[in-house]
Amino acid sequence: MIKKIDCRTLQCPQPVLKTKEALEQQAVAELSVVVDNDAAVENVSRFLNFQGFEVSVDSDGISSTVSGKRDAEKIKPLETTNSQPAPKDKEYQKILIIISSEHIGKGDDDLGGKLMINFVKTLKEMGSDLWRLVFLNHGVKLCTDKSKVLEEIQTLEESGVDVLVCGACLTHLELMDKKKAGQTTNMLDVITSMQIADKVINL
């Protein structure tokens, strides 16, 4: 039997949270989640992929159905997130950097923009300690096609750094189709990232 979840009118991270709640309550082999925005499509699809589902998406131009299917013999209810974080790596830190603007500092935006470009281009010097980048608010513009540091962010991603880009922010700024780096994310992912990081840096 297919589990059906209607998440229309809900903004991220609510569709992911409702899907997560359903998997915590019941061992599900097949489900379909109906959403009505692109950010929710990407977030729910990525969440289901992570949970071992084969994912497909069908859209009628108004709403989209994210369908997931997995081997019924291997499934079990999703564990609730009350467990302790995994032991931290002794050799490297997990540094999370949250970037919520195109600029560094307040005052001169031209100067702040140049500082941000220099900052992103220098991030590689952190080496293996750099674990995850989260882009929020106008910071998501750094991951779009007109970003002056797009290549650097893509290179960091290719090297193994997680790059998460706020889906609600992309939608609000009408930039969803302009994103060229990172995975579309939601506030649940941001909170979880902050919880398990060794160090969180906010810009």
Side-chain angles (χ1 to χ4, degrees), residues 7 20 28 35 38 53 69 77 86 100 106 110 116 123 136 140 142 171:
C7 294
K20 177 176 177 289
V28 177
V35 298
D38 291 340
F53 286 89
K69 185 176 182 179
S100 57
K106 297 179 180 180
D110 184 52
M116 180 61 78
L123 277 175
L136 302 173
V140 302
L142 297 173
T171 299

Side-chain angles (χ1 to χ4, degrees):
M1 181 176 178
I2 300 177
K3 176 74 173 180
K4 296 183 179 180
I5 307 171
D6 189 347
C7 294
R8 286 172 291 186
T9 75
L10 299 180
Q11 297 299 314
C12 287
Q14 291 304 314
V16 175
L17 290 174
K18 288 194 69 172
T19 304
K20 177 176 177 289
E21 181 181 356
L23 295 182
E24 288 174 345
Q25 294 173 348
Q26 182 182 358
V28 177
E30 293 186 59
L31 82 166
S32 62
V33 184
V34 182
V35 298
D36 57 7
N37 62 81
D38 291 340
V41 170
E42 289 201 36
N43 281 316
V44 172
S45 297
R46 186 159 57 86
F47 176 76
L48 291 178
N49 269 317
F50 185 74
Q51 299 303 324
F53 286 89
E54 292 184 9
V55 177
S56 61
V57 178
D58 182 54
S59 177
D60 61 9
I62 299 175
S63 61
S64 300
T65 300
V66 182
S67 300
K69 185 176 182 179
R70 59 182 174 177
D71 190 341
E73 296 180 358
K74 298 180 180 180
I75 65 172
K76 60 181 180 179
L78 181 66
E79 294 183 2
T80 57
T81 55
N82 292 326
S83 58
Q84 293 294 320
K88 296 174 181 177
D89 192 304
K90 294 181 179 180
E91 187 175 356
Y92 299 112
Q93 298 184 74
K94 279 187 174 181
I95 296 180
L96 165 67
I97 299 178
I98 298 177
I99 298 175
S100 57
S101 173
E102 295 178 273
H103 315 106
I104 290 180
K106 297 179 180 180
D108 189 323
D109 284 348
D110 184 52
L111 173 60
K114 292 177 181 178
L115 291 174
M116 180 61 78
I117 290 171
N118 290 338
F119 176 81
V120 174
K121 289 186 174 182
T122 312
L123 277 175
K124 62 181 182 294
E125 301 303 324
M126 294 182 70
S128 300
D129 284 344
L130 180 59
W131 168 57
R132 180 167 290 175
L133 296 173
V134 173
F135 293 88
L136 302 173
N137 210 314
H138 280 235
V140 302
K141 293 180 179 180
L142 297 173
C143 295
T144 61
D145 54 359
K146 294 184 179 180
S147 168
K148 294 181 179 180
V149 289
L150 177 60
E151 184 177 344
E152 284 77 13
I153 293 172
Q154 290 174 331
T155 299
L156 287 170
E157 189 173 25
E158 290 168 1
S159 73
V161 176
D162 290 337
V163 178
L164 305 183
V165 188
C166 172
C169 305
L170 289 167
T171 299
H172 179 79
L173 296 170
E174 299 182 351
L175 292 173
M176 183 63 73
D177 61 340
K178 305 295 184 182
K179 179 174 72 72
K180 298 299 180 183
Q183 302 178 64
T184 303
T185 193
N186 58 79
M187 203 55 69
L188 176 62
D189 287 339
V190 176
I191 295 299
T192 301
S193 297
M194 294 172 69
Q195 185 178 25
I196 64 178
D198 295 321
K199 181 184 295 184
V200 178
I201 299 172
N202 286 284
L203 291 179

